[in-house]
Amino acid sequence: MDVLKFCGCESTDYTNGYHTLKSFEIFQSLREDKFFCDIKLKADDDKIVFGHKIVLMSVSQDFIAMFTNFSEREKDIINIRDVDSTVLKQLVDYMYTGKITISKENVQVLLPAANLLQLDYVQGACAKFLQKQLDRFNCLDIRSFADLHNCLELLTSSEEYIRKNVLDVVESEEFLSLPTEELIKFISGNVLNASEEKVYECVINWVKHELNLRYDSLPKLMEHIRLPLASIEYISTNVVEEPLFKSIPKNYNIIFSGKYYINEAFQFHERKTKQLTIPRTIRNTPRMSGQKVILAFDYNLEAHWYDPTTNLWHLLSENSLMYFDYSADFYHETDHINCFKKKITLIKEHLVVVSKFYEPSITILDLSLKSPTWVTLVDTLVSRNNCGIGVLNDCLYAVGGYGEDGYLNSAEFFNMNNHQGWQMIANMSIEKSNTSVGVLNNLLYVVGGSVINSYDIKTYFKSAECYDPNLNIWTPVAEMSVRRSNIGLGEMDGVLYAVGGVYESNFFKSVEAYKPGSGVWTSIPDMHIPRCNSSNLNQYFLA
């Protein structure tokens, strides 16, 4: 035979994609005919399922441990406790074929059995199956089931469903059947998409559902209702007049606790009305609805929001920030580009702070009042037009801007807790206006901005620096990829987002994200339209 001649040919690896599949099909065929089977698995009902040790070990860590380290390696019959033969056969078939059929009839026994035999794929498939079945009638039971079997993915999904659909869940018979401790878990969390009035009502309804057995639990439950956050009218009409808190013989503890929490709520509203300092407690801390997104408005209140879990922008059909009459406060930069004439931020969870462009005054709207009223804050120590504003530790910061003597690199803050007036802090490294301010890891970040020189030439910045209030020091950080001013800037889950902005006549729809751990700005998907000066009220919670 002639030897073939090659010129520069390198060796090549080839993989038969059907090799493993075909091999396991043969193993399954041998098992069905009980050929070469070296292990018998005995289910709870004493029925036997045959198998090959080497195949079972190739799929399950439980069988690896069983056949290598324990006494079972010398046995040819092994008892599999708490699993019936039907489920055991399904799981062994899966080990040979990679296929499993999950139904509402078998999922409740299949998941714990898969967990027992450490079949992660089957456990995950059961979790996904149950996630699709979640509704207001079964979500509480599914949550308990997931918790019992340590199925974290399913537990997280069921808890998220409950939070988002709490108003429907509390109307179900399943909710009224919750044990006391489970109800406490339900109402004590910081993330719950329901008003405090609704939380109170669902507790009262739960108690009255089996009044004789549950009445003594009322003081413990009241502890977790954030009654000060209910309106004063609701408390006076619905809570004070609740028969359960009236004078009933031998129930002094219930009456006393009810009066205690009612008085606490009245004192909270009285201090708020008088604008007195209110000590923060868990019962006067607003809950969150759960889903955090980045929100950006344009001139006609149309908004887009970015969901970091899906990496997508969406159009928000409705918005709830309708206290503002924006109609006279917006303008068109061009026929196609919309731009804010205000900078907006949020402080102490209910105070909306607004700084108008080209005006040094700062106004505040208190959303916690029944009739929100605008109040003008005392003027800054340095007159500032187009300054950046931001909030850190209940302090309002005014940074840079344009003053009587030109562009500013100075900055000052106003403590909203003591109202002692504005106080100066260390200067930034660059004089600029139209800069954007955000907070990340207890540091104040100032990003972008612009200045105009005496020749009417405008310079834009891509630089950023951060301020440490404990050290009173500014430190430079990484630059953005492009120069821009009038950026929407905000933090979410440890990431700082720079949204839109403008450079010369170019308005951006691009967005950059900064993570301190990486020390660089990275791009995320563009918004649908360009925009600048998007509101700093950009961490928004959606139901």
Side-chain angles (χ1 to χ4, degrees), residues 21 25 90-91 93-101 121-122:
L21 178 62
E25 286 178 353
Q90 276 188 289
L91 293 177
D93 284 343
Y94 160 75
M95 295 184 207
Y96 281 80
T97 65
K99 299 176 182 178
I100 189 77
T101 299
Y121 178 84
V122 178

Side-chain angles (χ1 to χ4, degrees), residues 430 432 434 447-451 458-464 479-487 498 500-508 510 512:
I430 301 175
K432 56 184 176 179
N434 295 315
V447 181
S450 61
V451 298
K458 197 167 189 176
T459 300
Y460 293 82
F461 299 97
K462 60 180 178 180
S463 59
E479 295 182 337
M480 295 180 293
S481 62
V482 295
R483 300 174 182 270
R484 55 176 110 190
S485 69
N486 304 95
I487 304 163
V502 61
Y503 174 75
E504 295 181 344
S505 60
N506 299 314
F507 289 79
F508 294 107
S510 62
E512 298 187 50

Side-chain angles (χ1 to χ4, degrees), residues 179 411 534:
S534 296

Side-chain angles (χ1 to χ4, degrees), residues 204-453:
I204 296 300
N205 290 338
W206 180 89
V207 172
K208 290 181 177 180
H209 186 67
E210 294 182 356
L211 184 59
N212 293 335
L213 298 176
R214 297 175 175 179
Y215 187 59
D216 290 338
S217 300
L218 191 53
K220 188 186 298 185
L221 295 169
M222 287 295 296
E223 179 182 348
H224 300 285
I225 299 173
R226 304 183 184 189
L227 199 56
L229 302 180
S231 70
I232 193 72
E233 293 81 10
Y234 183 88
I235 298 169
S236 301
T237 304
N238 298 82
V239 185
V240 172
E241 298 302 321
E242 171 54 51
L244 293 180
F245 298 128
K246 297 293 185 179
S247 180
I248 300 175
K250 299 181 181 180
N251 285 294
Y252 174 79
N253 289 337
I254 286 87
I255 298 168
F256 176 80
S257 66
K259 290 181 178 179
Y260 172 82
Y261 293 118
I262 291 170
N263 289 337
E264 179 188 49
F266 279 136
Q267 290 171 10
F268 172 85
H269 282 281
E270 182 181 6
R271 297 183 71 87
K272 186 171 67 172
T273 301
K274 294 180 179 180
Q275 296 186 337
L276 299 175
T277 301
I278 302 174
R280 175 60 60 86
T281 68
I282 188 63
R283 283 192 296 278
N284 62 33
T285 300
R287 304 178 199 258
M288 299 176 292
S289 66
Q291 183 182 357
K292 292 183 286 185
V293 301
I294 296 294
L295 181 68
F297 289 97
D298 62 24
Y299 82 105
N300 60 1
L301 288 183
E302 183 177 83
H304 287 83
W305 55 276
Y306 169 71
D307 184 350
T309 61
T310 61
N311 202 30
L312 295 173
W313 284 92
H314 304 273
L315 178 66
L316 189 67
S317 58
E318 298 180 3
N319 73 78
S320 57
L321 296 177
M322 298 303 293
Y323 292 110
F324 306 105
D325 178 9
Y326 286 110
S327 58
D329 293 321
F330 297 90
Y331 68 102
H332 289 279
E333 282 289 328
T334 70
D335 289 337
H336 305 288
I337 305 298
N338 306 320
C339 180
F340 268 119
K341 282 187 69 178
K342 286 182 176 181
K343 289 185 178 179
I344 305 171
T345 193
L346 185 68
I347 187 170
K348 299 182 72 171
E349 299 172 335
H350 63 275
L351 299 174
V352 178
V353 182
V354 177
S355 174
K356 293 185 179 181
F357 288 1
Y358 309 115
E359 293 184 17
S361 62
I362 296 175
T363 53
I364 295 178
L365 179 67
D366 189 344
L367 299 180
S368 66
L369 302 176
K370 181 181 179 181
S371 300
T373 303
W374 287 101
V375 177
T376 300
L377 201 64
V378 61
D379 287 344
T380 53
L381 297 175
V382 177
S383 179
R384 302 173 185 276
N385 293 304
N386 292 4
C387 66
I389 61 172
V391 173
L392 175 60
N393 296 330
D394 289 344
C395 292
L396 178 65
Y397 286 80
V399 179
Y402 186 85
E404 297 174 355
D405 298 323
Y407 289 95
L408 304 168
N409 65 349
S410 63
E412 51 191 297
F413 75 94
F414 186 94
N415 191 320
M416 299 299 294
N417 291 321
N418 57 36
H419 289 261
Q420 292 180 353
W422 291 91
Q423 300 177 56
M424 300 299 296
I425 62 173
N427 291 343
M428 297 185 297
S429 62
I430 301 175
E431 299 170 342
K432 56 184 176 179
S433 68
N434 295 315
T435 190
S436 301
V437 181
V439 173
L440 181 63
N441 298 336
N442 215 36
L443 299 175
L444 195 76
Y445 283 76
V446 176
V447 181
S450 61
V451 298
I452 301 177
N453 64 19

Side-chain angles (χ1 to χ4, degrees), residues 112-243:
N115 192 25
L116 175 69
L117 298 178
Q118 299 184 44
L119 298 174
D120 294 341
Y121 178 84
V122 178
Q123 185 185 23
C126 289
K128 287 183 173 60
F129 178 86
L130 287 172
Q131 286 171 11
K132 294 179 180 179
Q133 314 306 314
L134 281 168
D135 60 35
R136 65 173 182 162
F137 301 107
N138 65 23
C139 56
L140 292 169
D141 284 340
I142 289 178
R143 182 208 171 281
S144 298
F145 179 73
D147 192 25
L148 176 65
H149 297 292
N150 196 33
C151 189
L152 298 182
E153 181 183 358
L154 181 59
L155 181 64
T156 300
S157 298
S158 56
E159 288 180 340
E160 182 180 357
Y161 181 91
I162 292 168
R163 286 195 297 266
K164 289 183 177 181
N165 301 277
V166 61
L167 297 181
D168 291 328
V169 173
V170 297
E171 299 295 334
S172 68
E173 188 69 26
E174 182 187 23
F175 173 80
L176 293 174
S177 301
L178 281 177
T180 304
E181 295 306 317
E182 285 297 313
L183 179 60
I184 289 175
K185 287 182 183 178
F186 185 86
I187 65 173
S188 61
N190 283 322
V191 181
L192 195 63
N193 184 30
S195 67
E196 221 54 44
E197 289 91 342
K198 191 63 180 180
V199 176
Y200 167 79
E201 289 172 5
C202 78
V203 167
I204 296 300
N205 290 338
W206 180 89
V207 172
K208 290 181 177 180
H209 186 67
E210 294 182 356
L211 184 59
N212 293 335
L213 298 176
R214 297 175 175 179
Y215 187 59
D216 290 338
S217 300
L218 191 53
K220 188 186 298 185
L221 295 169
M222 287 295 296
E223 179 182 348
H224 300 285
I225 299 173
R226 304 183 184 189
L227 199 56
L229 302 180
S231 70
I232 193 72
E233 293 81 10
Y234 183 88
I235 298 169
S236 301
T237 304
N238 298 82
V239 185
V240 172
E241 298 302 321
E242 171 54 51

